[in-house]
Coordinates of all heavy atoms in Angstrom, one line a residue:
M1 N 26.1 -11.1 -4.0 CA 25.8 -10.4 -5.4 C 26.4 -8.9 -5.2 O 26.5 -8.4 -4.1 CB 24.3 -10.3 -5.6 CG 23.7 -11.5 -6.2 SD 22.1 -11.1 -6.9 CE 21.1 -10.8 -5.5
S2 N 26.8 -8.3 -6.3 CA 27.4 -7.0 -6.4 C 26.3 -6.0 -6.1 O 25.1 -6.4 -6.2 CB 28.1 -6.8 -7.7 OG 27.0 -6.7 -8.7
E3 N 26.6 -4.8 -5.9 CA 25.7 -3.7 -5.8 C 24.7 -3.6 -6.9 O 23.5 -3.6 -6.8 CB 26.4 -2.4 -5.5 CG 25.5 -1.4 -4.9 CD 26.2 -0.2 -4.6 OE1 27.4 0.0 -4.6 OE2 25.5 0.8 -4.2
L4 N 25.2 -3.7 -8.2 CA 24.4 -3.5 -9.3 C 23.5 -4.7 -9.5 O 22.4 -4.6 -9.8 CB 25.2 -3.3 -10.6 CG 24.5 -3.1 -11.9 CD1 23.6 -1.9 -11.9 CD2 25.5 -3.0 -13.0
E5 N 24.1 -5.9 -9.3 CA 23.2 -7.1 -9.4 C 22.0 -7.0 -8.4 O 21.0 -7.4 -8.7 CB 24.1 -8.3 -9.1 CG 24.9 -8.7 -10.2 CD 26.0 -9.7 -10.0 OE1 26.3 -9.9 -8.8 OE2 26.5 -10.4 -10.8
N6 N 22.3 -6.5 -7.1 CA 21.3 -6.3 -6.3 C 20.2 -5.4 -6.6 O 19.0 -5.6 -6.4 CB 21.8 -5.8 -4.8 CG 22.2 -7.0 -3.9 OD1 21.4 -7.9 -3.8 ND2 23.3 -6.8 -3.3
C7 N 20.7 -4.3 -7.4 CA 19.7 -3.3 -7.9 C 18.7 -3.8 -8.9 O 17.6 -3.7 -8.9 CB 20.4 -2.1 -8.6 SG 21.3 -1.1 -7.3
L8 N 19.3 -4.7 -9.8 CA 18.6 -5.3 -11.0 C 17.6 -6.3 -10.2 O 16.5 -6.4 -10.8 CB 19.6 -6.1 -11.9 CG 20.6 -5.3 -12.7 CD1 21.5 -6.1 -13.5 CD2 20.0 -4.1 -13.5
N9 N 18.1 -7.1 -9.4 CA 17.2 -8.0 -8.6 C 16.0 -7.2 -8.0 O 14.9 -7.7 -8.0 CB 18.0 -8.8 -7.6 CG 17.3 -10.0 -7.1 OD1 16.7 -10.6 -7.8 ND2 17.5 -10.2 -5.8
S10 N 16.3 -6.1 -7.4 CA 15.2 -5.3 -6.6 C 14.2 -4.9 -7.6 O 13.1 -4.9 -7.4 CB 15.8 -4.1 -6.0 OG 16.8 -4.5 -4.9
I11 N 14.6 -4.4 -8.8 CA 13.7 -3.9 -10.0 C 12.8 -5.0 -10.3 O 11.6 -4.8 -10.3 CB 14.5 -3.3 -11.1 CG1 15.2 -2.1 -10.7 CG2 13.5 -3.0 -12.2 CD1 16.1 -1.5 -11.9
I12 N 13.3 -6.2 -10.5 CA 12.4 -7.3 -10.9 C 11.4 -7.7 -9.8 O 10.3 -7.9 -9.9 CB 13.3 -8.6 -11.4 CG1 14.3 -8.2 -12.5 CG2 12.5 -9.8 -11.5 CD1 15.2 -9.4 -12.8
H13 N 12.0 -7.7 -8.5 CA 11.3 -8.0 -7.4 C 10.0 -7.1 -7.2 O 8.9 -7.4 -7.0 CB 12.1 -8.0 -6.2 CG 11.3 -8.2 -4.9 ND1 10.8 -9.5 -4.5 CD2 11.0 -7.4 -3.9 CE1 10.2 -9.3 -3.3 NE2 10.2 -8.1 -2.9
I14 N 10.4 -5.7 -7.3 CA 9.3 -4.7 -7.2 C 8.3 -4.7 -8.3 O 7.1 -4.6 -8.0 CB 9.9 -3.3 -7.1 CG1 10.8 -3.1 -5.8 CG2 9.1 -2.1 -7.3 CD1 11.7 -2.0 -5.7
F15 N 8.7 -5.1 -9.5 CA 7.7 -5.2 -10.6 C 6.8 -6.3 -10.3 O 5.5 -6.1 -10.2 CB 8.3 -5.5 -11.9 CG 7.4 -5.8 -13.1 CD1 6.9 -4.7 -13.8 CD2 7.0 -7.0 -13.4 CE1 6.0 -5.0 -14.8 CE2 6.2 -7.3 -14.4 CZ 5.6 -6.3 -15.2
H16 N 7.3 -7.5 -9.8 CA 6.3 -8.6 -9.6 C 5.4 -8.5 -8.3 O 4.5 -9.0 -8.2 CB 7.1 -9.9 -9.5 CG 7.4 -10.4 -10.8 ND1 6.5 -11.1 -11.6 CD2 8.6 -10.2 -11.7 CE1 7.1 -11.3 -12.8 NE2 8.3 -10.8 -12.9
K17 N 6.1 -7.7 -7.2 CA 5.3 -7.5 -6.0 C 4.0 -6.8 -6.4 O 2.9 -7.1 -5.6 CB 6.1 -6.5 -5.1 CG 5.5 -6.2 -3.8 CD 6.6 -5.3 -3.0 CE 5.8 -4.5 -1.9 NZ 6.8 -3.5 -1.2
Y18 N 4.0 -6.0 -7.4 CA 2.7 -5.4 -7.8 C 1.9 -6.0 -8.9 O 0.7 -6.0 -8.9 CB 3.0 -3.9 -8.1 CG 3.5 -3.0 -6.9 CD1 4.8 -3.0 -6.6 CD2 2.5 -2.4 -6.0 CE1 5.2 -2.3 -5.4 CE2 2.9 -1.8 -4.9 CZ 4.2 -1.7 -4.5 OH 4.5 -1.0 -3.4
S19 N 2.7 -6.6 -9.8 CA 2.0 -7.2 -11.0 C 1.3 -8.5 -10.6 O 0.3 -8.8 -11.2 CB 3.1 -7.5 -12.2 OG 3.9 -8.6 -11.7
E20 N 1.7 -9.1 -9.4 CA 1.0 -10.4 -9.2 C -0.2 -10.2 -8.2 O -0.8 -11.1 -7.8 CB 2.1 -11.2 -8.4 CG 3.2 -11.8 -9.3 CD 4.2 -12.7 -8.7 OE1 4.2 -12.9 -7.5 OE2 5.1 -12.9 -9.4
K21 N -0.5 -8.9 -8.0 CA -1.7 -8.6 -7.1 C -3.0 -9.1 -7.7 O -3.9 -9.6 -7.1 CB -1.8 -7.2 -6.8 CG -0.8 -6.8 -5.7 CD -0.8 -5.3 -5.4 CE 0.2 -5.0 -4.3 NZ -0.3 -4.8 -2.9
E22 N -3.2 -8.7 -9.1 CA -4.5 -9.1 -9.8 C -4.2 -9.5 -11.1 O -3.2 -9.0 -11.7 CB -5.4 -7.8 -9.8 CG -6.0 -7.2 -8.5 CD -6.7 -6.0 -8.8 OE1 -7.6 -6.0 -9.6 OE2 -6.3 -5.0 -8.2
G23 N -5.1 -10.2 -11.7 CA -5.1 -10.6 -13.1 C -3.7 -11.3 -13.5 O -3.2 -12.1 -12.8
D24 N -3.3 -10.9 -14.8 CA -2.0 -11.5 -15.3 C -0.8 -11.1 -14.4 O -0.6 -9.9 -14.1 CB -1.7 -10.9 -16.7 CG -0.6 -11.6 -17.5 OD1 0.4 -12.1 -16.8 OD2 -0.7 -11.8 -18.7
K25 N -0.1 -12.2 -13.9 CA 0.9 -11.9 -12.9 C 2.3 -11.2 -13.6 O 3.1 -10.8 -12.9 CB 1.3 -13.1 -12.0 CG 1.8 -14.3 -12.7 CD 2.0 -15.4 -11.8 CE 2.4 -16.7 -12.4 NZ 3.7 -16.7 -12.9
N26 N 2.2 -11.2 -15.0 CA 3.4 -10.6 -15.6 C 3.1 -9.2 -16.1 O 3.9 -8.6 -16.9 CB 3.9 -11.5 -16.6 CG 4.6 -12.8 -16.1 OD1 5.4 -12.7 -15.2 ND2 4.2 -13.9 -16.6
M27 N 2.0 -8.7 -15.8 CA 1.5 -7.3 -16.3 C 1.0 -6.5 -15.2 O 0.4 -6.9 -14.1 CB 0.3 -7.5 -17.2 CG 0.5 -8.3 -18.4 SD 1.3 -7.4 -19.7 CE 0.4 -7.9 -21.1
L28 N 1.3 -5.2 -15.3 CA 0.8 -4.3 -14.3 C -0.4 -3.6 -15.0 O -0.3 -2.9 -16.0 CB 1.9 -3.2 -14.0 CG 3.1 -3.4 -13.3 CD1 4.0 -2.3 -13.4 CD2 2.8 -3.7 -11.9
K29 N -1.6 -3.9 -14.4 CA -2.8 -3.1 -14.8 C -2.7 -1.8 -14.2 O -1.8 -1.4 -13.3 CB -4.0 -3.8 -14.5 CG -4.1 -4.3 -13.1 CD -5.5 -4.7 -12.5 CE -6.3 -5.5 -13.6 NZ -7.6 -5.8 -12.9
K30 N -3.6 -0.9 -14.7 CA -3.5 0.6 -14.4 C -3.5 0.8 -12.8 O -2.7 1.5 -12.2 CB -4.7 1.3 -15.0 CG -4.3 2.7 -15.3 CD -5.6 3.4 -15.7 CE -5.4 4.2 -17.1 NZ -6.6 5.0 -17.4
S31 N -4.3 0.0 -12.1 CA -4.4 0.2 -10.7 C -3.1 -0.3 -10.0 O -2.6 0.3 -8.9 CB -5.6 -0.5 -10.0 OG -5.6 -1.9 -10.5
E32 N -2.6 -1.3 -10.5 CA -1.2 -1.9 -9.9 C -0.2 -0.9 -10.1 O 0.7 -0.7 -9.4 CB -1.0 -3.2 -10.4 CG -2.0 -4.3 -10.1 CD -1.8 -5.6 -10.9 OE1 -1.3 -5.6 -12.1 OE2 -2.1 -6.7 -10.4
L33 N 0.0 -0.3 -11.4 CA 1.0 0.5 -11.7 C 0.9 1.8 -10.8 O 1.9 2.3 -10.3 CB 0.9 1.0 -13.2 CG 1.9 2.1 -13.7 CD1 3.2 1.5 -13.7 CD2 1.5 2.6 -15.1
K34 N -0.4 2.3 -10.6 CA -0.6 3.5 -9.7 C -0.1 3.1 -8.4 O 0.7 4.0 -7.7 CB -2.0 3.9 -9.8 CG -2.2 5.1 -9.1 CD -3.8 5.7 -9.3 CE -3.9 7.1 -8.9 NZ -5.3 7.6 -9.2
E35 N -0.2 2.0 -7.8 CA 0.1 1.6 -6.5 C 1.6 1.5 -6.4 O 2.2 2.1 -5.4 CB -0.5 0.3 -6.2 CG -0.9 0.1 -4.7 CD -1.4 -1.2 -4.3 OE1 -2.2 -1.9 -5.2 OE2 -1.1 -1.6 -3.2
L36 N 2.2 0.9 -7.4 CA 3.6 0.9 -7.5 C 4.4 2.2 -7.6 O 5.1 2.5 -6.7 CB 4.1 0.1 -8.7 CG 5.6 -0.3 -8.9 CD1 5.8 -1.4 -9.8 CD2 6.4 0.9 -9.5
L37 N 3.9 3.1 -8.4 CA 4.4 4.5 -8.5 C 4.2 5.2 -7.2 O 5.2 5.9 -6.6 CB 3.8 5.2 -9.7 CG 4.0 4.7 -11.0 CD1 3.3 5.5 -12.1 CD2 5.6 4.6 -11.2
T38 N 3.0 5.1 -6.6 CA 2.8 5.9 -5.3 C 3.7 5.4 -4.2 O 4.1 6.2 -3.4 CB 1.3 5.6 -4.9 OG1 0.5 6.0 -6.0 CG2 0.9 6.5 -3.8
H39 N 3.9 4.0 -4.0 CA 4.6 3.5 -2.9 C 6.2 3.5 -3.3 O 6.9 3.7 -2.3 CB 4.3 2.2 -2.6 CG 2.9 2.1 -1.9 ND1 1.8 1.7 -2.5 CD2 2.5 2.5 -0.8 CE1 0.7 1.8 -1.8 NE2 1.2 2.2 -0.6
E40 N 6.6 3.3 -4.5 CA 8.0 3.2 -4.8 C 8.8 4.2 -5.5 O 9.9 4.4 -5.4 CB 8.1 1.9 -5.7 CG 7.4 0.6 -5.3 CD 8.0 0.0 -3.9 OE1 9.1 0.4 -3.5 OE2 7.2 -0.9 -3.4
L41 N 7.9 5.1 -6.0 CA 8.5 6.4 -6.6 C 7.8 7.7 -6.0 O 7.3 8.5 -6.8 CB 8.5 6.4 -8.1 CG 9.4 5.6 -8.8 CD1 9.2 5.5 -10.3 CD2 10.9 6.0 -8.6
P42 N 7.7 7.8 -4.7 CA 6.9 8.9 -4.0 C 7.4 10.3 -4.5 O 6.5 11.2 -4.7 CB 7.0 8.7 -2.6 CG 8.1 7.8 -2.5 CD 8.3 7.0 -3.6
S43 N 8.6 10.5 -4.7 CA 9.2 11.8 -5.0 C 8.7 12.3 -6.4 O 8.7 13.5 -6.6 CB 10.6 12.0 -4.7 OG 11.4 10.8 -5.2
L44 N 8.5 11.3 -7.2 CA 8.0 11.5 -8.6 C 6.6 11.8 -8.6 O 6.0 12.8 -9.2 CB 8.4 10.3 -9.5 CG 8.1 10.6 -11.0 CD1 8.9 11.4 -11.8 CD2 8.0 9.2 -11.6
T45 N 5.9 10.9 -7.9 CA 4.4 10.9 -8.0 C 3.7 11.9 -7.2 O 2.5 12.2 -7.4 CB 3.8 9.5 -7.7 OG1 4.4 9.0 -6.7 CG2 4.0 8.5 -8.9
Q46 N 4.4 12.5 -6.3 CA 3.8 13.6 -5.5 C 3.4 14.8 -6.4 O 2.6 15.7 -6.2 CB 4.8 14.1 -4.3 CG 6.0 14.7 -4.9 CD 6.9 15.1 -3.6 OE1 6.3 15.3 -2.5 NE2 8.2 15.4 -3.9
H47 N 4.0 14.9 -7.6 CA 3.8 15.9 -8.6 C 2.6 15.5 -9.5 O 2.0 16.4 -10.2 CB 4.9 16.3 -9.4 CG 6.1 16.6 -8.5 ND1 6.1 17.8 -7.8 CD2 7.3 16.1 -8.4 CE1 7.4 17.8 -7.2 NE2 8.1 16.8 -7.5
I48 N 2.1 14.2 -9.4 CA 1.0 13.8 -10.3 C -0.2 13.8 -9.4 O -0.5 12.8 -8.6 CB 1.3 12.5 -10.9 CG1 2.6 12.4 -11.6 CG2 0.2 12.1 -11.8 CD1 3.0 11.1 -12.2
K49 N -1.0 14.8 -9.3 CA -2.0 15.0 -8.3 C -3.5 14.4 -9.0 O -4.3 13.9 -8.2 CB -2.3 16.5 -7.8 CG -1.0 16.9 -7.1 CD -1.3 16.9 -5.6 CE -0.2 17.5 -4.8 NZ 0.9 16.7 -4.5
D50 N -3.6 14.8 -10.3 CA -5.0 14.4 -10.9 C -5.0 13.1 -11.7 O -3.9 12.7 -12.2 CB -5.5 15.6 -11.6 CG -4.5 16.1 -12.7 OD1 -3.3 16.3 -12.4 OD2 -4.9 16.0 -13.8
Q51 N -6.2 12.5 -11.8 CA -6.2 11.3 -12.5 C -5.8 11.5 -14.0 O -5.2 10.5 -14.5 CB -7.8 10.8 -12.5 CG -7.9 9.4 -13.0 CD -7.1 8.3 -12.4 OE1 -6.9 8.3 -11.2 NE2 -6.8 7.3 -13.2
S52 N -6.1 12.6 -14.6 CA -5.8 12.7 -16.1 C -4.2 12.8 -16.4 O -3.9 12.2 -17.3 CB -6.4 14.0 -16.6 OG -5.9 15.2 -16.1
S53 N -3.5 13.4 -15.4 CA -2.0 13.3 -15.6 C -1.5 11.8 -15.4 O -0.6 11.4 -16.2 CB -1.3 14.0 -14.4 OG -1.8 15.4 -14.4
F54 N -2.1 11.1 -14.5 CA -1.7 9.7 -14.3 C -2.2 8.9 -15.6 O -1.4 8.0 -16.1 CB -2.4 9.1 -13.2 CG -2.0 7.7 -13.0 CD1 -0.8 7.2 -12.5 CD2 -2.9 6.6 -13.3 CE1 -0.5 5.9 -12.4 CE2 -2.7 5.2 -13.1 CZ -1.4 4.9 -12.8
D55 N -3.4 9.2 -16.1 CA -3.8 8.6 -17.3 C -2.8 8.8 -18.5 O -2.5 7.7 -19.3 CB -5.2 9.0 -17.8 CG -6.2 8.5 -16.9 OD1 -5.9 7.5 -16.1 OD2 -7.5 8.9 -16.9
S56 N -2.4 10.0 -18.7 CA -1.4 10.3 -19.8 C -0.1 9.6 -19.6 O 0.6 9.2 -20.6 CB -1.3 11.7 -20.1 OG -1.3 12.6 -19.0
L57 N 0.3 9.5 -18.3 CA 1.5 8.8 -18.0 C 1.4 7.4 -18.4 O 2.3 6.8 -19.1 CB 1.9 9.0 -16.5 CG 3.1 8.1 -16.0 CD1 4.4 8.6 -16.5 CD2 3.1 8.0 -14.5
M58 N 0.3 6.7 -18.1 CA 0.0 5.3 -18.3 C -0.1 5.2 -19.9 O 0.6 4.1 -20.5 CB -1.3 4.9 -17.7 CG -1.8 3.4 -18.1 SD -0.6 2.2 -17.3 CE -1.2 0.7 -17.9
E59 N -0.7 6.1 -20.6 CA -0.8 6.0 -22.1 C 0.7 6.0 -22.7 O 1.1 5.4 -23.6 CB -1.6 7.1 -22.6 CG -3.0 6.8 -22.8 CD -3.8 8.1 -23.3 OE1 -3.4 8.8 -24.1 OE2 -4.9 8.2 -22.7
G60 N 1.5 6.9 -22.0 CA 2.8 7.1 -22.7 C 3.7 5.8 -22.4 O 4.5 5.4 -23.2
L61 N 3.5 5.1 -21.2 CA 4.2 3.8 -20.9 C 3.7 2.7 -21.8 O 4.6 1.9 -22.2 CB 3.8 3.5 -19.4 CG 4.5 4.0 -18.3 CD1 4.0 3.6 -17.0 CD2 5.9 3.6 -18.3
D62 N 2.5 2.7 -22.1 CA 1.8 1.6 -22.8 C 2.1 1.7 -24.2 O 1.3 1.9 -25.0 CB 0.4 1.6 -22.4 CG -0.3 0.2 -23.0 OD1 0.4 -0.7 -23.3 OD2 -1.6 0.4 -23.2
T63 N 3.3 1.3 -24.6 CA 3.7 1.5 -26.0 C 2.9 0.6 -27.0 O 2.8 0.9 -28.1 CB 5.3 1.4 -26.3 OG1 5.6 0.2 -25.6 CG2 6.0 2.5 -25.7
D64 N 2.6 -0.6 -26.6 CA 1.8 -1.6 -27.4 C 0.3 -1.4 -27.4 O -0.4 -2.1 -28.0 CB 2.3 -3.0 -27.3 CG 1.9 -3.7 -25.9 OD1 1.3 -2.8 -25.0 OD2 2.2 -4.7 -25.6
G65 N -0.1 -0.5 -26.5 CA -1.6 -0.1 -26.5 C -2.5 -1.2 -26.0 O -3.7 -1.1 -26.3
D66 N -2.0 -2.1 -25.2 CA -2.9 -3.2 -24.6 C -3.5 -2.8 -23.2 O -4.1 -3.7 -22.5 CB -2.3 -4.6 -24.6 CG -1.1 -4.6 -23.6 OD1 -0.7 -3.6 -23.0 OD2 -0.5 -5.7 -23.5
T67 N -3.4 -1.7 -22.8 CA -3.9 -0.9 -21.5 C -3.2 -1.6 -20.2 O -3.6 -1.3 -19.2 CB -5.5 -1.1 -21.4 OG1 -5.8 -2.5 -21.1 CG2 -6.1 -0.7 -22.6
E68 N -2.2 -2.4 -20.4 CA -1.4 -2.9 -19.3 C 0.0 -2.7 -19.6 O 0.6 -2.3 -20.6 CB -1.6 -4.4 -19.1 CG -3.1 -4.7 -18.6 CD -3.3 -6.2 -18.3 OE1 -2.9 -7.0 -19.0 OE2 -3.6 -6.3 -17.0
C69 N 0.9 -2.6 -18.5 CA 2.3 -2.3 -18.5 C 3.0 -3.6 -18.3 O 3.0 -4.3 -17.2 CB 2.6 -1.3 -17.5 SG 4.3 -0.9 -17.3
D70 N 3.7 -4.1 -19.3 CA 4.5 -5.4 -19.2 C 5.9 -4.9 -18.8 O 6.2 -3.8 -18.6 CB 4.6 -6.2 -20.4 CG 5.1 -5.4 -21.7 OD1 6.0 -4.6 -21.5 OD2 4.9 -5.8 -22.8
F71 N 6.7 -5.9 -18.5 CA 8.1 -5.6 -17.9 C 9.0 -4.8 -18.7 O 9.6 -3.9 -18.3 CB 8.8 -7.0 -17.5 CG 10.0 -6.8 -16.6 CD1 9.9 -6.3 -15.4 CD2 11.3 -6.9 -17.3 CE1 11.2 -6.0 -14.6 CE2 12.4 -6.7 -16.4 CZ 12.4 -6.3 -15.2
Q72 N 8.8 -5.1 -20.1 CA 9.6 -4.3 -21.0 C 9.3 -2.8 -20.9 O 10.1 -1.9 -21.0 CB 9.5 -4.8 -22.4 CG 10.6 -4.3 -23.4 CD 10.6 -5.1 -24.7 OE1 10.3 -6.2 -24.8 NE2 10.8 -4.3 -25.7
E73 N 7.9 -2.6 -20.9 CA 7.4 -1.2 -20.9 C 7.9 -0.5 -19.5 O 8.2 0.7 -19.5 CB 6.0 -1.1 -21.0 CG 5.5 -1.5 -22.5 CD 4.0 -1.8 -22.7 OE1 3.3 -2.2 -21.6 OE2 3.5 -1.7 -23.7
F74 N 7.8 -1.4 -18.5 CA 8.2 -0.9 -17.1 C 9.7 -0.5 -17.2 O 10.1 0.7 -16.7 CB 7.9 -1.9 -16.1 CG 8.4 -1.5 -14.8 CD1 7.7 -0.5 -14.1 CD2 9.4 -2.2 -14.2 CE1 8.1 -0.2 -12.8 CE2 9.8 -1.9 -12.8 CZ 9.2 -0.9 -12.1
M75 N 10.6 -1.3 -17.8 CA 12.0 -1.0 -17.8 C 12.3 0.1 -18.6 O 13.2 0.9 -18.3 CB 12.8 -2.2 -18.3 CG 13.0 -3.4 -17.4 SD 13.5 -2.8 -15.8 CE 15.0 -2.2 -16.2
T76 N 11.5 0.5 -19.7 CA 11.7 1.6 -20.6 C 11.4 2.9 -19.7 O 12.3 3.9 -19.8 CB 10.8 1.6 -21.8 OG1 11.1 0.4 -22.5 CG2 11.1 2.7 -22.7
F77 N 10.4 2.8 -18.9 CA 10.1 3.9 -18.0 C 11.1 4.1 -17.0 O 11.6 5.2 -16.7 CB 8.7 3.6 -17.4 CG 8.3 4.6 -16.3 CD1 8.0 5.8 -16.7 CD2 8.2 4.2 -15.0 CE1 7.7 6.8 -15.6 CE2 7.9 5.1 -13.9 CZ 7.5 6.4 -14.4
I78 N 11.6 3.1 -16.4 CA 12.6 3.1 -15.3 C 13.8 3.7 -15.8 O 14.5 4.6 -15.2 CB 12.9 1.7 -14.6 CG1 11.7 1.3 -13.9 CG2 14.1 1.7 -13.8 CD1 11.3 2.2 -12.6
T79 N 14.3 3.3 -17.1 CA 15.4 3.8 -17.8 C 15.3 5.3 -17.9 O 16.3 6.1 -17.6 CB 15.6 3.1 -19.1 OG1 15.8 1.7 -18.9 CG2 16.9 3.5 -19.9
M80 N 14.2 5.8 -18.5 CA 14.0 7.2 -18.8 C 14.1 8.0 -17.5 O 14.7 9.1 -17.4 CB 12.6 7.4 -19.3 CG 12.6 7.0 -20.9 SD 11.2 7.6 -21.8 CE 9.8 7.1 -20.6
V81 N 13.3 7.5 -16.4 CA 13.5 8.1 -15.1 C 14.9 8.3 -14.5 O 15.3 9.3 -14.1 CB 12.5 7.5 -14.1 CG1 12.7 8.1 -12.6 CG2 11.0 7.5 -14.5
T82 N 15.6 7.1 -14.7 CA 17.0 7.1 -14.2 C 17.9 8.1 -15.0 O 18.7 8.8 -14.4 CB 17.5 5.7 -14.3 OG1 16.6 4.7 -13.7 CG2 18.9 5.5 -13.7
I83 N 17.7 8.2 -16.3 CA 18.5 9.1 -17.1 C 18.2 10.5 -16.7 O 19.1 11.3 -16.6 CB 18.2 8.9 -18.7 CG1 18.8 7.5 -19.1 CG2 18.8 10.0 -19.5 CD1 18.5 7.1 -20.5
C84 N 16.8 10.8 -16.4 CA 16.3 12.2 -16.0 C 17.1 12.5 -14.8 O 17.5 13.7 -14.5 CB 15.0 12.3 -16.0 SG 14.1 12.4 -17.6
C85 N 17.1 11.6 -13.7 CA 17.7 11.8 -12.4 C 19.3 12.1 -12.6 O 19.8 13.0 -12.0 CB 17.7 10.6 -11.5 SG 16.0 10.3 -10.9
H86 N 19.9 11.3 -13.5 CA 21.3 11.4 -13.7 C 21.6 12.8 -14.3 O 22.6 13.5 -13.8 CB 21.7 10.4 -14.7 CG 23.2 10.4 -15.1 ND1 23.7 10.7 -16.2 CD2 24.4 10.3 -14.2 CE1 25.0 10.7 -16.3 NE2 25.4 10.5 -15.0
E87 N 20.8 13.3 -15.3 CA 20.9 14.6 -15.8 C 20.8 15.7 -14.7 O 21.5 16.6 -14.7 CB 20.0 14.8 -17.0 CG 20.5 14.1 -18.3 CD 19.5 14.3 -19.4 OE1 18.5 14.8 -19.3 OE2 19.8 13.5 -20.4
F88 N 19.7 15.5 -14.0 CA 19.5 16.5 -12.9 C 20.7 16.6 -11.9 O 21.1 17.7 -11.7 CB 18.3 16.0 -12.1 CG 18.0 16.9 -11.0 CD1 17.3 18.1 -11.2 CD2 18.3 16.6 -9.7 CE1 17.1 19.0 -10.0 CE2 18.1 17.4 -8.6 CZ 17.6 18.6 -8.8
F89 N 21.2 15.5 -11.5 CA 22.4 15.6 -10.6 C 23.6 16.1 -11.3 O 24.5 16.7 -10.7 CB 22.5 14.3 -9.9 CG 21.5 13.9 -8.9 CD1 20.7 12.9 -9.1 CD2 21.3 14.8 -7.8 CE1 19.6 12.6 -8.1 CE2 20.3 14.5 -6.8 CZ 19.5 13.5 -7.1
E90 N 23.8 15.7 -12.6 CA 24.9 16.1 -13.4 C 24.9 17.8 -13.4 O 25.9 18.4 -13.1 CB 24.9 15.7 -14.8 CG 26.1 15.3 -15.4 CD 26.0 14.6 -16.7 OE1 24.9 14.7 -17.4 OE2 26.8 13.9 -17.2
H91 N 23.7 18.2 -13.8 CA 23.6 19.9 -13.7 C 23.7 20.4 -12.4 O 24.3 21.4 -12.2 CB 22.3 20.2 -14.4 CG 22.2 19.8 -15.9 ND1 23.1 20.4 -16.8 CD2 21.4 19.1 -16.5 CE1 22.9 19.8 -18.0 NE2 21.7 19.1 -17.9
H92 N 23.2 19.7 -11.4 CA 23.3 20.1 -10.1 C 24.7 20.3 -9.5 O 25.1 21.3 -8.9 CB 22.5 19.1 -9.1 CG 22.1 19.7 -7.8 ND1 21.0 20.6 -7.7 CD2 22.6 19.5 -6.6 CE1 20.9 21.0 -6.5 NE2 21.8 20.3 -5.7
D93 N 25.6 19.3 -10.0 CA 27.0 19.3 -9.6 C 27.7 20.5 -10.2 O 28.7 21.0 -9.6 CB 27.7 18.1 -10.1 CG 27.3 16.8 -9.2 OD1 26.7 17.0 -8.2 OD2 27.6 15.6 -9.7
D94 N 27.3 21.0 -11.4 CA 28.0 22.1 -12.1 C 27.8 23.5 -11.3 O 28.7 24.3 -11.4 CB 27.4 22.3 -13.5 CG 27.7 21.1 -14.4 OD1 28.6 20.4 -14.1 OD2 27.1 21.0 -15.5
E95 N 26.7 23.5 -10.4 CA 26.5 24.9 -9.9 C 27.4 25.0 -8.6 O 27.9 24.1 -8.0 CB 25.0 24.8 -9.5 CG 24.1 25.3 -10.6 CD 22.7 24.7 -10.4 OE1 22.3 24.6 -9.3 OE2 22.0 24.5 -11.3
Ligands
CA1 CA1 1.2 -2.6 -22.7

């Protein structure tokens, strides 16, 4: 597989690694999402110290309001984070 194909495969694999722990295996419940973010995006989540910040992140992610994060909601989040990282490095390069 190409590098990008490997990345896409990894994203799918990581989602399922956590979504299959409890309940619906195609959904991340709040505790699963928290575990995923803590282990897989530590540089982002080290800034989220309190439960209320995490709650509002989860609310923002959960666009259909069913209190769980499906793959589409997860991808929307990953896309936003990736765009933010890209913008950060773009500005960083200018300096
Ligand atoms: Ca949802």
Side-chain angles (χ1 to χ4, degrees):
M1 281 199 286
S2 72
E3 193 177 354
L4 180 59
E5 285 168 338
N6 268 319
C7 291
L8 301 178
N9 194 40
S10 295
I11 292 174
I12 295 169
H13 174 77
I14 288 167
F15 177 84
H16 281 281
K17 181 176 163 188
Y18 293 89
S19 72
E20 288 174 9
K21 283 178 184 259
E22 287 176 62
D24 190 328
K25 63 184 175 69
N26 292 308
M27 299 280 229
L28 289 169
K29 51 165 39 180
K30 213 186 228 183
S31 57
E32 290 169 334
L33 178 69
K34 193 172 190 176
E35 214 183 325
L36 186 156
L37 296 177
T38 308
H39 290 104
E40 310 295 344
L41 285 173
S43 41
L44 180 82
T45 46
Q46 66 180 341
H47 304 294
I48 306 175
K49 297 259 187 270
D50 56 304
Q51 185 62 36
S52 67
S53 305
F54 178 74
D55 286 346
S56 38
L57 173 69
M58 179 66 183
E59 267 173 45
L61 276 176
D62 183 21
T63 45
D64 65 2
D66 66 355
T67 73
E68 294 193 297
C69 178
D70 60 26
F71 189 68
Q72 195 173 325
E73 290 165 341
F74 178 68
M75 282 314 295
T76 305
F77 172 69
I78 293 297
T79 304
M80 289 190 313
V81 172
T82 311
I83 291 170
C84 287
C85 290
H86 179 244
E87 279 174 4
F88 175 81
F89 287 115
E90 217 172 22
H91 292 304
H92 201 73
D93 286 347
D94 293 343
E95 283 159 20

